[in-house]
Amino acid sequence: MSECEMVIIKPEVMKSYIWLQTADGSIQQVEEEVAMFCPMICREILQTGMGSSKNYAISLPQRVNPSILSLILDYCRFHQVPGRSNKERKSFDEKFIRIDTKRLCELTSAADSLQLKPLVDLTSRALARMIEGKSPEEIRETFHLPDDLTEEEKLEPLRNTADDPRIRLLNRLYARKRKELREREKLKNVEVEEERVDERSVDDLLSFINGGVGDSKGGKTAKHKKKNRRRKDQAKGTALNNVSKISKKEPEYLSSECNNGEAGNIIESSSSKTSKVQDVAVDSLGPKVEFDDGDIDDELDPAMKEELDREVEDFARRLNSDWPERMQEILSLGQERRHVPISMNGNGSSRRYTRLEQRCTPMDAH
Amino acid sequence: MTITMKKPKSTIFIPSPSLLTVLTEDLLLRVLDNLIDSSHRKAWRLVCKCFLRLESLHRKALRVFRHDSLPNLLRRYRLLELLDLSVCPRVDDGTIAFSFGAEPGGFCWTRRLTKLVLSRACGLRSSGLEVVVKSCPSLQEIDLSYCLGLGDREASALSRATGLRDLKLVKCLGVTDVGLAKIAIGCTKLERLSLKWCLEITDLGIELLSKKSTGLRSLDISYLKVTNNSLHSISYLRKLESLSVVGCSFVDDDGLLFLRNRNPHLQSIDVSRCENVTLSGLISVVEGHEESLLQLGAGYCCSEFAAPFLNQLKELRNLKSIRIDGARVDDFSLGTIGANCKHLVEVGLSKCAGVTDGGIAELVVGHANLKVLDLTCCHLITDASLSAISAYCTKLVCLKLESCDLITQKGLEQLGSSCSLLEELDLTDCSGVTDMGLKCLSTCSELLYLKLGLCVNISDKGLQHVASKCTKLRELDLYRCTGIGDDGLAAVSTGCKKLKKLNLSYCMEVSDRGLKYISNLSDLQDLEMRRLLKISSEGLMAIAVGCKSLSELDIKRCYNIDDVGLLALAQYACNLRQINLSYCPVSDAGLFMAMRNLKCLQDAKLVHLAHVSLEGYELALRVSCGRLKKLKLVSTLKDLLSSNLLQILKAQGCKIRWMEKALILV
């Protein structure tokens, strides 16, 4: 209703002014057509006849302070002029909201109290743009918000993935293994390469399986040493050129070790401070739709869990028993496919990666 | 205040005002209105208690990705209007009774629910549906597609949902005429019904439906074994707007004759793949619907479009969409279509023989509103067609040019310069596409779907152009683009942050480095990378850690991916729903851990895992049998796996495809 109506009703008072009073008591004079752009002021004038003189100033809501009022009036002054193009309005709006966060919030609130809907839309959109792409911490910092969520509320979505004791155990074992390997690496840094080719896979895999059921890998290495040597001998035939390649690329190989140490750490830490990584994981599926992961830890009852553990143990035992046979089998396959012996690597130990890359190169060259 | 912001001119001092003290909840909700992206909303939720609460008030729609989390989510979101459980196929009567059942407090979250998606919920039976119907008084739409076990009892439970307007029963194999009759009688407000693939339904059911559900506006009876009699019954549906009769081989011209001059509001009819329908049938459909008809689907039914039908087209002044896939056309017929149907928005000529540059030129003249054009396998067209399309159809949104290998850079240049609104472009198997061509195309900055499969002449350079400009890209297909390597992927990972689907199969140059770039795409949901020999578990680990949203992964024949990669998946890819591990050298341990930990896994392809023992298979399947819905195994395992396990899998609703393939490592 309002503006145009008013213009028609009293065209003779075009240049008249409206008196406005902010909550702090200060009173100011504003061109009527500008003031009338705010529905709240407009209604006040029409319904109560206030604002026509200094004594009858319209008192504005608490949320409108003088500095914000002047901003709002700037906005009204621009937009009340008819005949502006959409492009002009848009570019004005864009510039208009380039103010600091605090003022933007105040502006939103004030515009809302004056029922100036287009400005509320504009500023709330601007606030949303500000939030987009920020982490919860950044949002808190920007808007001075309390960090009052309980750990549970924050972690809720991932409890079940984080709480798998086997995974945690596995990670710990990995970390230990990595450390051991690194230690050993340091000791025999100068030694021949072949030794290294040796310590891949079988032990690692077994150790993790054994470890997974509560057995630390400890003495296993010695036990399997013989087996490994045999395997190595066979593998040598196929991987001879690779070995020489590896030794040439020694420095790279070491550095990759370190990098992977870090990668390993990520896994390792996951059980303790999963929140960040997995939290996001849980949510960013699909547009508009989201999901959280509920509690319902694993939904396995203890009895079933126990049974599973038993199964795993059993499985590990069987795996141990028929291992040599399987190795033979795999190695015979390896004649055609060189990567196979490596693929048997069951452990997160890292250095293998570089080897794989190196292996790829000669293979492709053929 | 923030570091980045300018200092305010006047400083009215309010000691560190929290957003909460300045803005009311109403206003905060308004800000929340403007946050569309789910990751942004996620951040919002994790800010503080107030924000968390506001978000739960604000949310009206929820798609649950994990069965386990349902109760918790429903406790939080009390004002839902839409609930989608389609990716929780484990939902069964128990879950439903538990989450939809009455609560002691009185107020139940289900009160406001208007739309419910339960497709693929194999465990759902009548008692579950009864609870749903009882607890959701506002329910208007329900999708029960692919609930294969649904039968007449369930239909009868459903018939008590008297407010139902929209019902999808695609491939509910157990529903017969009796069930349909119950629904027709009970759900009197029904407006939209899909019975596609409900093979038990016959003419009798359709007849009853047509008599009872007179308010039907949309009906899909595709692939049913119904005859002309059904069309006769349907012709009495006065309000019918959309009818789909795809693949009904017992329907012929006589049946379509029943529709002539009936159903005054008919806007859309699809008779594609009805073998016995000829031109005269189409003509009778068109008759009497000249004014109303907007969409006509006639793919793969009439082999030729002769003069009488083309004359009829003249009358279809309002036609917006026409699909005549697989037909033989000539310049004249295309010209007639173009000249007569002035408001065309969509034209489908996929696999049409005889489409030439001349025909396309005549078709598109003056069609400034054309948005979708499907020219798949129209081998004869060249740059001249693209030039005509660019000249007239500047609002084009979707263009499919698969196998149009005469197209060159010149054509793409014109396309790029005038069709800047293009969102979907299929250039699969167009060998004429080069790096320069891609550079020209990169001006289409609105592109969402780009298919470049088998374009062997493109390299990283071309991909870099696309990635730098087309930042909205959601789907990118690089199948067998042998020229693509890690550098191209680096560009993709920085440019196309919104990418959801990526196909890198057989891009032989891609290595772990490339995968590490890809791992920056946190929205990626579907990644296919078959037979990449340069990638190892290290790359896969990066993907597992980085691509949080990954739900489908195909690493078939990646011979260097072993247990380590699989363990990383087991640890991080907690949203994985489908996986193809066939031919990967993973061992018992890796497979077991993956199958045990991937709680969302529904579909696993495990063909020829040469290093997995029988026990390995047995254990892995045992530990995951509650979740698996689809399984692909080599047929030799059929007799080796314990019958007990196979029984359990079957009982849990898991379908196994047995592959008769010898182990060949290529």
Side-chain angles (χ1 to χ4, degrees), chain A residues 156 166-167 283 290 294, chain B residues 42 45 76 571 596-597:
Chain A
E156 190 182 18
R166 251 175 308 241
I167 299 248
D283 209 356
E290 295 171 50
Chain B
K42 174 78 183 180
R45 265 208 307 272
R76 187 192 287 175
Q571 172 91 349
R596 185 194 166 319
N597 280 28

Side-chain angles (χ1 to χ4, degrees), chain A residues 88-191:
Chain A
E88 278 177 299
R89 287 174 197 273
K90 223 174 152 184
S91 81
F92 173 85
D93 285 353
E94 251 166 48
K95 277 185 209 130
F96 184 72
I97 50 167
R98 276 190 216 144
I99 49 176
D100 71 279
T101 322
K102 186 183 115 191
R103 273 162 75 82
L104 191 58
C105 292
E106 287 171 5
L107 184 61
T108 313
S109 169
D112 178 54
S113 69
L114 294 173
Q115 294 154 4
L116 198 54
K117 195 169 177 300
L119 184 55
V120 178
D121 288 344
L122 177 68
T123 50
S124 40
R125 226 176 307 134
L127 284 170
R129 293 296 93 84
M130 242 173 215
I131 288 169
E132 277 174 11
K134 281 198 172 71
S135 69
E137 293 77 33
E138 288 165 337
I139 298 172
R140 259 178 244 132
E141 204 173 296
T142 313
F143 297 105
H144 302 284
L145 293 165
D147 184 5
D148 57 1
L149 286 174
T150 60
E151 275 313 295
E152 198 192 338
E153 278 165 324
K154 282 186 203 174
L155 294 184
E156 190 182 18
L158 38 114
R159 210 195 292 162
N160 92 17
T161 33
D163 253 1
D164 189 330
R166 251 175 308 241
I167 299 248
R168 246 189 338 233
L169 197 61
L170 186 61
N171 287 329
R172 242 176 280 142
L173 280 162
Y174 272 5
R176 203 191 304 161
K177 179 77 185 170
R178 266 192 306 274
K179 205 174 151 197
E180 264 173 43
L181 284 171
R182 239 172 299 159
E183 226 87 300
R184 227 182 297 171
E185 210 67 53
K186 268 186 218 154
L187 284 177
K188 47 175 186 176
N189 213 357
V190 236
E191 276 179 34

Side-chain angles (χ1 to χ4, degrees), chain A residues 151-256:
Chain A
E151 275 313 295
E152 198 192 338
E153 278 165 324
K154 282 186 203 174
L155 294 184
E156 190 182 18
L158 38 114
R159 210 195 292 162
N160 92 17
T161 33
D163 253 1
D164 189 330
R166 251 175 308 241
I167 299 248
R168 246 189 338 233
L169 197 61
L170 186 61
N171 287 329
R172 242 176 280 142
L173 280 162
Y174 272 5
R176 203 191 304 161
K177 179 77 185 170
R178 266 192 306 274
K179 205 174 151 197
E180 264 173 43
L181 284 171
R182 239 172 299 159
E183 226 87 300
R184 227 182 297 171
E185 210 67 53
K186 268 186 218 154
L187 284 177
K188 47 175 186 176
N189 213 357
V190 236
E191 276 179 34
V192 244
E193 284 311 310
E194 286 151 3
E195 264 314 296
R196 250 173 230 155
V197 179
D198 230 353
E199 349 166 315
R200 285 166 289 148
S201 71
V202 188
D203 296 336
D204 302 356
L205 181 55
L206 288 176
S207 80
F208 108 69
I209 292 164
N210 294 334
V213 292
D215 190 14
S216 99
K217 73 142 264 212
K220 288 271 151 124
T221 327
K223 203 166 136 197
H224 288 282
K225 202 101 193 179
K226 224 178 226 165
K227 225 181 290 162
N228 286 340
R229 190 153 296 145
R230 188 161 43 129
R231 183 167 58 85
K232 183 190 70 194
D233 290 342
Q234 293 199 1
K236 229 176 173 175
T238 58
L240 210 63
N241 48 355
N242 295 331
V243 171
S244 59
K245 273 247 160 61
I246 292 167
S247 48
K248 256 184 248 163
K249 289 198 178 170
E250 178 62 10
E252 215 180 292
Y253 165 84
L254 280 176
S255 73
S256 92

